[in-house]
Amino acid sequence: MDIFSVNPANGKAIDHYRSHTNKEVKLNIEQTHAAWLKWKESSFTARSYYLINMAKVLLSQKNELARLMALEMGKPIKQGIAEVEKCASVCEYYAKNAAGFLKDQSVKTEASKSFVTFEPIGVVLAIMPWNFPLWQVFRFLAPALAAGNCGILKHASNVPGCAIAIQEIVEQSGFPENVFQTILVNSAKIDKIIENPLIKAVTITGSTNAGKKVAAKAGSLIKKTVLELGGSDAYVILEDADLDKAAEICVNSRLINSGQSCIAAKRFIVVKSVEKEFIKLFYEKMNAKIMGDPLNEATDIGPQARVDLRNELHNQVKRSIKKGAKCILGGELPKGNNAYYPPTILTKVKKGMPAYDEELFGPVAAIISARDERDAIRIANDSIFGLGAAVFTTDKIKGELIASTQIEAGSCFVNAMVKSDPRLPFGGIKESGYGRELGMFGIHEFVNIKTVWVE
């Protein structure tokens, strides 16, 4: 079976790739396991050397890689360049810090010596999505390789070119052969791959439904998983917020990656007393954004990644309007064979509407009115998701208290856009998943945290 790459801006096929057979997948896993038996013995100095090389390779190819992302999944070219640069930064981060993060930790006991050591566990299967086709992979890959693990990538089927490019980058960086391999297969084969005894753990970034299936399968085999799943991030705008600044940040967060981000702002919960002014500012800034060719540097919003995903989003908008939401911007399908969807604003959003209860994975903003601060926090937490959140207030002490103790999310930002950072742990709670990527906590997810006792 072939896997096709289709340009969502015009519906034209870019290329097609032959899927790997079951026999080829099994061989790839065996090759990567054999590579791991040697790689796990490598020094941190050697691992750092290769990671620095990989950062250099990424930066040298950032324009070509950004173009590839634009063609395969519609990412605006300037955002693609920034994504590649971020991939380079995570390689540099773990090159510098992995040895310290994985240093033996001495613990005083009755023993003559007792300590905790961190050992690599083997080959980790990474199931990755199309929305950040490089960053999602590298934020797993850099710490995995730095810890002495190896990786097998099953990427989303609509970005096969990006998947192959990542393997080529690893090879060009000088890493030993087969420490990382890409396999081109459809989702129906994932269970069989997880069953392979040489796969020791699984990390997935994707939808909540996909995460549940992967977790159930891996759990039945007692294999560790990290799940980074859906989100419906709440941005809470309080009465004392700087409304112009808040509106600017909120619009930029909602439209990053053309709205297709797990941690994009999705629900804007505004205290009633400032709702009218906030909507006015939000509308002006949202309406000024340019939708167009992702290869044009002036473009803010490219097409959605696929037509079926765009149509699903539009259906959520229509169902929300039918239930009483008011569309004050966008909400109409463009003509032609493409996957574009315009910046859209829904007001009067209430519980029971898709815009309130579901994740809207695209450039659609849901504005929800709250009576006061307490009500706004209640609404923010009234979700099955818990990935990211933000609160806007000129009282930073109050904002910090709300962010740290009152909003249910894996990350909560004050007067800023939620984003992942190599230095900080990233992940969610509730149906947004479990486990953490990045920072010190991320590199500890896929190691054997071993106690050693010497009498």
Side-chain angles (χ1 to χ4, degrees), residues 97-158:
N97 293 292
F101 290 156
L102 298 174
K103 184 180 179 181
D104 289 352
Q105 296 181 12
S106 180
V107 181
K108 273 203 167 192
T109 66
E110 297 79 15
S112 63
K113 184 178 183 182
S114 51
F115 62 96
V116 177
T117 191
F118 303 94
E119 291 190 314
I121 60 170
V123 180
V124 181
L125 171 64
I127 303 167
M128 292 292 142
W130 47 261
N131 58 334
F132 291 91
L134 266 67
W135 170 242
Q136 306 279 20
V137 177
F138 277 91
R139 77 181 187 195
F140 146 75
L141 185 59
L145 293 174
N149 291 315
C150 290
I152 290 285
L153 171 65
K154 189 281 175 212
H155 217 322
S157 294
N158 60 325

Side-chain angles (χ1 to χ4, degrees), residues 358-384:
E358 301 173 10
E359 178 178 25
L360 300 187
F361 212 64
V364 180
I367 297 180
I368 304 167
S369 181
R371 291 187 302 274
D372 51 27
E373 177 183 307
R374 186 174 179 180
D375 191 41
I377 294 167
R378 177 193 66 79
I379 294 168
N381 293 333
D382 185 25
S383 173
I384 61 172

Side-chain angles (χ1 to χ4, degrees), residues 253-266:
S253 179
R254 175 61 286 201
L255 297 182
I256 190 169
N257 201 36
S258 306
Q260 301 165 115
S261 171
C262 298
I263 53 166
K266 290 168 185 149

Side-chain angles (χ1 to χ4, degrees), residues 196-263:
N196 189 304
L198 299 180
I199 295 292
K200 301 302 181 185
V202 188
T203 181
I204 176 172
T205 298
S207 70
T208 296
N209 285 338
K212 287 177 179 178
K213 291 175 184 176
V214 167
K217 184 62 182 181
S220 74
L221 299 163
I222 322 297
K223 294 188 180 185
K224 175 78 179 286
T225 49
V226 167
L227 311 180
E228 198 270 277
L229 309 177
S232 187
D233 285 14
Y235 278 34
V236 176
I237 295 90
L238 299 181
E239 192 171 31
D240 63 347
D242 179 333
L243 294 181
D244 189 68
K245 180 183 177 184
E248 182 73 23
I249 292 169
C250 288
V251 166
N252 289 337
S253 179
R254 175 61 286 201
L255 297 182
I256 190 169
N257 201 36
S258 306
Q260 301 165 115
S261 171
C262 298
I263 53 166

Side-chain angles (χ1 to χ4, degrees), residues 15 17 42 106 119 176 189 216 221 223 225 245 283 300 335 352 380 400 409 442 448:
D15 209 339
Y17 304 80
S42 62
S106 180
E119 291 190 314
K189 295 190 176 183
L221 299 163
K223 294 188 180 185
T225 49
K245 180 183 177 184
Y283 178 94
D300 299 304
K335 293 179 181 178
E400 181 182 333
N448 174 18

Side-chain angles (χ1 to χ4, degrees), residues 314-374:
H314 185 54
N315 182 259
Q316 289 173 301
V317 169
K318 288 194 296 182
R319 287 189 287 123
S320 296
I321 293 169
K322 190 173 182 180
K323 286 178 175 285
K326 183 180 179 183
C327 184
I328 63 171
L329 180 69
E332 294 183 356
L333 292 179
K335 293 179 181 178
N337 184 21
N338 60 67
Y340 284 99
Y341 201 74
T344 297
I345 302 174
L346 297 176
T347 62
K348 302 187 183 302
V349 172
K350 298 186 183 303
K351 190 175 180 67
M353 299 177 184
Y356 186 105
D357 300 324
E358 301 173 10
E359 178 178 25
L360 300 187
F361 212 64
V364 180
I367 297 180
I368 304 167
S369 181
R371 291 187 302 274
D372 51 27
E373 177 183 307
R374 186 174 179 180

